[in-house]
């Protein structure tokens, strides 16, 4: 015998719990196509994302903090898209920051706390640029050449973002595998 619950039969006596359809979960794709500019009052992030104008505005969420922002576009062509920028160079006013949806683009307005010019977007970017501008390493003709390369790779790994670390780890693993195959 097939019995229907009160909710399924159209009756609600207050004791049944209506079934809520479960939302599909999507893996977030990392957004890599963006740029930035600034005015006296704000830093503007220009995020290129094909089709973003087709999703309802409720599916675009940005969480602002004093030193970061996290943009998530839910269910765009079957997947979520995310841009997370942490450790901004200067503080932003999270409550007065906003965004606009344009054709295939999002513009985030990060309201500056102080009206100063940002030379870099993040602390990591500043460190990276300053390291490149620093004096070149001293040449030691007695040192092992591969040690210098290893030091450089270690430094790139330590200073790099997640994508850089994955790339270096993959190259290192492939190199080790080739060495084992040759033995």
């Amino acid at each position: 015998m097939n019995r229907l619950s009160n909710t399924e039969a159209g009756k609600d006596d207050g004791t049944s719990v209506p079934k809520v359809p479960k939302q599909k979960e999507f893996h977030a794709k990392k957004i890599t196509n963006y740029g930035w500019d600034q005015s006296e009052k704000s830093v503007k992030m220009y995020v290129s994302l094909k089709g973003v104008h087709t999703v309802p505005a409720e599916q675009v969420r940005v969480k602002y903090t004093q030193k970061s922002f996290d943009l998530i576009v839910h269910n765009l062509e079957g997947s979520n898209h995310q841009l997370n920028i942490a450790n901004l160079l200067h503080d932003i006013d999270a409550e007065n920051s906003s965004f606009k949806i344009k054709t295939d683009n999002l513009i985030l307005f990060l309201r500056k706390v102080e009206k100063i010019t940002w030379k870099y977007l993040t602390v990591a970017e500043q460190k990276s640029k300053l390291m490149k501008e620093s004096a070149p390493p001293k040449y030691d003709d007695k040192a092992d050449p591969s040690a210098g390369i290893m030091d450089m790779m270690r430094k790139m790994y330590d200073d790099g973002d997640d994508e850089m670390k994955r790339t270096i780890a993959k190259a290192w693993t492939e190199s080790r595998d080739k060495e084992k195959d040759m033995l």
Side-chain angles (χ1 to χ4, degrees):
M1 180 173 183
N2 191 3
R3 297 185 66 193
L4 296 175
S5 69
N6 288 342
T7 304
E8 292 170 323
K11 299 176 189 172
D12 189 1
D13 61 4
T15 59
S16 63
V17 178
K19 292 182 180 179
V20 178
K22 192 174 184 178
Q23 286 189 336
K24 290 183 179 178
E25 291 188 26
F26 300 103
H27 294 286
K29 293 182 179 179
K30 186 176 179 181
I31 297 172
T32 57
N33 195 5
Y34 65 90
W36 66 283
D37 194 8
Q38 62 185 309
S39 66
E40 184 177 302
K41 295 180 182 180
S42 64
V43 171
K44 297 174 194 147
M45 297 293 303
Y46 298 94
V47 181
S48 298
L49 192 57
K50 186 174 172 121
V52 71
H53 60 284
T54 63
V55 299
E58 300 82 41
Q59 289 180 209
V60 178
R61 296 209 175 103
V62 184
K63 179 181 176 186
Y64 303 95
T65 66
Q66 188 176 10
K67 282 285 197 186
S68 68
F69 69 88
D70 187 21
L71 162 69
I72 300 177
V73 179
H74 293 279
N75 195 12
L76 172 62
E77 298 177 358
S79 59
N80 294 336
H81 299 266
Q82 182 175 24
L83 174 62
N84 185 323
I85 304 287
N87 297 321
L88 293 168
L89 186 61
H90 300 288
D91 292 347
I92 62 171
D93 181 353
E95 290 186 21
N96 291 311
S97 294
S98 60
F99 69 93
K100 286 186 181 178
I101 301 172
K102 301 283 188 178
T103 304
D104 294 332
N105 287 294
L106 286 164
I107 303 173
L108 283 68
F109 299 92
L110 310 176
R111 179 69 79 172
K112 294 179 179 178
V113 170
E114 299 177 55
K115 294 180 180 179
I116 57 176
T117 302
W118 292 24
K119 291 186 178 183
Y120 308 98
L121 183 62
T122 64
V123 172
E125 183 182 340
Q126 180 185 34
K127 283 181 183 177
S128 175
K129 298 285 184 180
L130 292 175
M131 294 298 259
K132 286 180 184 177
E133 294 171 0
S134 66
K138 295 177 183 173
Y139 179 71
D140 184 3
D141 58 352
K142 295 177 186 174
D144 179 15
S146 63
I149 292 171
M150 289 304 294
D151 288 343
M152 180 185 70
M153 293 298 287
R154 188 176 297 114
K155 186 174 183 55
M156 286 173 55
Y157 184 86
D158 291 341
D159 295 342
D161 61 0
D162 290 342
E163 191 68 30
M164 176 62 74
K165 289 179 180 181
R166 273 193 292 276
T167 302
I168 292 171
K170 180 180 175 186
W172 182 79
T173 303
E174 288 174 356
S175 172
R176 288 282 185 191
D177 291 345
K178 285 181 183 178
E179 263 182 36
K180 288 178 184 175
D181 290 343
M182 295 175 90
L183 296 176

